[in-house]
Amino acid sequence: QVQLVESGGGLVQAGGSLRLSCAASGRTLSTFYSTDVMGWFRQAPGKEREFVAAISRSGGNIYYPDSVKGRFTISRDNAKNMVYLQMNSLKPEDTAVYFCAAGLSALETRVKTTTNYVYWGQGTQVTVSS
């Protein structure tokens, strides 16, 4: 059984930083059920789940939406089965539950869609106060 567990969420003031971690177990990250990409999504109350960042298996391809580009950085350590999301210059609109996910395709058109991902963590709450 594959499991993804997020950590690192919390309450931070606007302009602050947080680093989220995602620990994978059950299989090594690099051979995860043929998954080719790891992603982060977020979901605010009453809103749809939103793409935040994705990184290919080798780390050679990284994607962000414009809303977080330049502020968030995704990284992975396949040897430790970990994925990270460094979030800087946080804004109140970044408040959401953040989810880690393992996906099938690292194509840019696919990484932004929730249907690309076959494994999901339970999420970690990030709250940014103004």
Side-chain angles (χ1 to χ4, degrees):
Q1 184 70 22
V2 172
Q3 288 190 328
L4 301 175
V5 179
E6 304 93 338
S7 61
L11 173 64
V12 64
Q13 288 188 333
S17 298
L18 282 175
R19 188 194 194 204
L20 304 184
S21 298
C22 173
S25 62
R27 289 179 182 265
T28 60
L29 261 186
S30 61
T31 58
F32 236 49
Y33 181 46
S34 299
T35 56
D36 201 37
V37 64
M38 296 296 297
W40 285 94
F41 285 74
R42 66 187 181 188
Q43 189 165 19
K47 295 188 176 181
E48 293 187 351
R49 197 162 292 191
E50 176 188 23
F51 170 68
V52 174
I55 185 168
S56 62
R57 182 180 300 184
S58 67
N61 293 304
I62 292 176
Y63 308 100
Y64 305 100
D66 289 342
S67 57
V68 307
K69 195 173 294 184
R71 301 188 299 122
F72 290 10
T73 302
I74 188 171
S75 61
R76 65 190 292 168
D77 185 335
N78 290 340
K80 295 182 178 179
N81 289 344
M82 297 291 294
V83 180
Y84 306 98
L85 185 68
Q86 178 67 44
M87 305 186 296
N88 299 327
S89 302
L90 283 162
K91 305 175 181 179
E93 51 263 44
D94 294 319
T95 295
V97 177
Y98 283 70
F99 299 90
C100 172
L104 297 174
S105 172
L107 292 176
E108 186 172 6
T109 54
R110 293 283 296 148
V111 297
K112 305 172 185 179
T113 63
T114 57
T115 54
N116 185 48
Y117 296 84
V118 293
Y119 298 109
W120 291 86
Q122 292 299 307
T124 184
Q125 176 70 47
V126 171
T127 303
V128 184
S129 63
S130 57

